[in-house]
Amino acid sequence: LNSSGTIFLRLTSSENAHAQRADATPQYPVPAYIGAQVGTIECTYASSCAGYDTCLASISGTTNAHLAACNFFSTNICCKISATIPPNVTISYSPAEIGSLTTVAYTASAADASGLTNVRVFVDNVLKKECASSPCSYSEGLYSAGSTHTYFATAQDTFGNTGSTATQSVTTCKLDSAS
């Protein structure tokens, strides 16, 4: 019992208590919370927890209820975590001055509290590299002198939220000569 997160039950006291669904009225005085370090927890009462991440317990009724293992009673307490904040993504290139014989290294970095499922590097609007973690690097080069190339990066977190950088450009500034 603490005072943050989602209320999933109400209790008559903090010890040896009767339980009721959080949506019952009148309400028992002690709320029971569930929380997550990342995202928001949403709970419901249903006969099946399909579409939810987990079943916490089953409950015998709306109020003055008993709790048991999932599916013991006909109503389960089903919960899922959701998050809507996308990953923070950056991309850079090196070296700072690019010649026609220069190989350019693009490096994308991403961070998200829930974890990442992928980081992607795009050059000239084409996916060039996909990595399972950050950082993600890709190199190419031998660009024509005076040519301009665009680049950006995206990353997806474990909740499916996608973050991206703005599209940026780099111009090959000189014609190198082979030694």
Side-chain angles (χ1 to χ4, degrees):
L1 301 173
N2 69 35
S3 60
S4 66
T6 299
I7 299 172
F8 69 98
L9 283 175
R10 291 194 165 272
L11 307 171
T12 55
S13 70
S14 59
E15 296 177 10
N16 195 21
H18 295 274
Q20 75 177 173
R21 291 172 44 158
D23 59 358
T25 55
Q27 295 183 335
Y28 287 167
V30 180
Y33 294 91
I34 185 169
Q37 289 182 328
V38 177
T40 303
I41 296 185
E42 175 186 330
C43 296
T44 192
Y45 306 96
S47 59
S48 166
C49 289
Y52 284 81
D53 294 331
T54 193
C55 175
L56 298 180
S58 63
I59 188 166
S60 65
T62 302
T63 192
N64 196 25
H66 296 275
L67 300 176
C70 296
N71 299 310
F72 184 85
F73 298 118
S74 62
T75 302
N76 292 305
I77 304 168
C78 308
C79 299
K80 66 180 175 181
I81 299 175
S82 63
T84 58
I85 299 171
N88 183 29
V89 187
T90 61
I91 189 166
S92 61
Y93 71 90
S94 65
E97 189 172 304
I98 299 170
S100 61
L101 297 178
T102 306
T103 297
V104 181
Y106 300 93
T107 302
S109 296
D112 190 90
S114 72
L116 299 168
T117 58
N118 65 60
V119 180
R120 295 177 174 151
V121 175
F122 294 80
V123 178
D124 294 328
N125 292 318
V126 175
L127 174 62
K128 297 292 186 167
K129 180 89 179 261
E130 181 172 336
C131 302
S133 61
S134 176
C136 184
S137 296
Y138 169 75
S139 296
E140 72 175 27
L142 306 182
Y143 295 142
S144 300
S147 64
T148 299
H149 302 275
T150 60
Y151 64 98
F152 67 95
T154 66
Q156 189 172 51
D157 68 18
T158 58
F159 290 102
N161 301 306
T162 300
S164 64
T165 64
T167 299
Q168 301 171 57
S169 63
V170 59
T171 300
T172 306
C173 59
K174 63 182 179 180
L175 179 61
D176 288 336
S177 58
S179 301

